[in-house]
Amino acid sequence: QAQLVESGGGMVQAGGSLRLSCKAPRNIFSVFAPSHMAWYRQSPGKERELVASITSEHITNYADSVKGRFSISRDNSRKMVYLQMNSLKPEDTAVYYCNQVRQDSSTYWGQGTQVTVSS
C-alpha cells in the first residue's frame, strides 16, 4: 500500500472548483501529525513546482499564482490533507502530487492526480 494516496482530480471548466484529497493510510498519528505536508504540481515540459504547504502547526504557504484561489488544510485525526481549488484557470492544468516530509526528514510522494481545466 502506498504511503500517500491522492484523489479528487478531474476535468473542469475555467472558473470551476475541485477539491483534492491526500490520504496517508500507512501513517500512525504520531508520524503524520508532526509532518510537513504539501501539494506540488507538474505540467508537461515544466518542472515540478510547489503549490501550497502546511506545517504541523497549520501554518500555510502558497505560490503567488494560486494565492486567494487555493486553500490547503489538514485533518490529523484522519491523516488527510486537502487542497480546495477555486476559480480554476487553464494554466492550473497539471498533475498534482501530495508530498510529506516527516520529522526524520524522510520524504514521500503520492502517485499524482490529473487536473485539467478547459477554457
Side-chain angles (χ1 to χ4, degrees):
Q1 194 174 24
Q3 293 285 353
L4 299 173
V5 181
E6 301 102 334
S7 62
M11 296 184 63
V12 65
Q13 288 189 329
S17 299
L18 284 173
R19 188 193 195 205
L20 304 184
S21 298
C22 172
K23 181 179 179 180
R26 296 179 64 184
N27 279 206
I28 58 176
F29 179 84
S30 60
V31 170
F32 184 84
S35 294
H36 184 276
M37 302 298 298
W39 287 96
Y40 286 74
R41 67 186 181 187
Q42 187 169 21
S43 50
K46 294 186 178 180
E47 293 188 354
R48 192 171 295 189
E49 63 174 355
L50 175 67
V51 176
S53 65
I54 184 167
T55 70
S56 57
E57 294 83 17
H58 294 245
I59 297 171
T60 59
N61 180 56
Y62 296 93
D64 287 343
S65 59
V66 306
K67 281 181 181 177
R69 300 189 297 122
F70 290 13
S71 178
I72 187 171
S73 60
R74 65 191 294 166
D75 184 339
N76 290 338
S77 65
R78 297 185 177 187
K79 298 175 289 182
M80 298 284 293
V81 178
Y82 306 98
L83 185 68
Q84 178 66 44
M85 306 185 294
N86 298 326
S87 302
L88 282 160
K89 303 176 181 180
E91 50 263 44
D92 295 318
T93 295
V95 178
Y96 284 70
Y97 297 90
C98 183
N99 168 266
Q100 179 187 42
V101 180
R102 297 181 182 178
Q103 273 192 314
D104 63 2
S105 299
S106 58
T107 300
Y108 299 89
W109 294 91
Q111 82 287 352
T113 185
Q114 176 71 46
V115 171
T116 302
V117 184
S118 61
S119 57

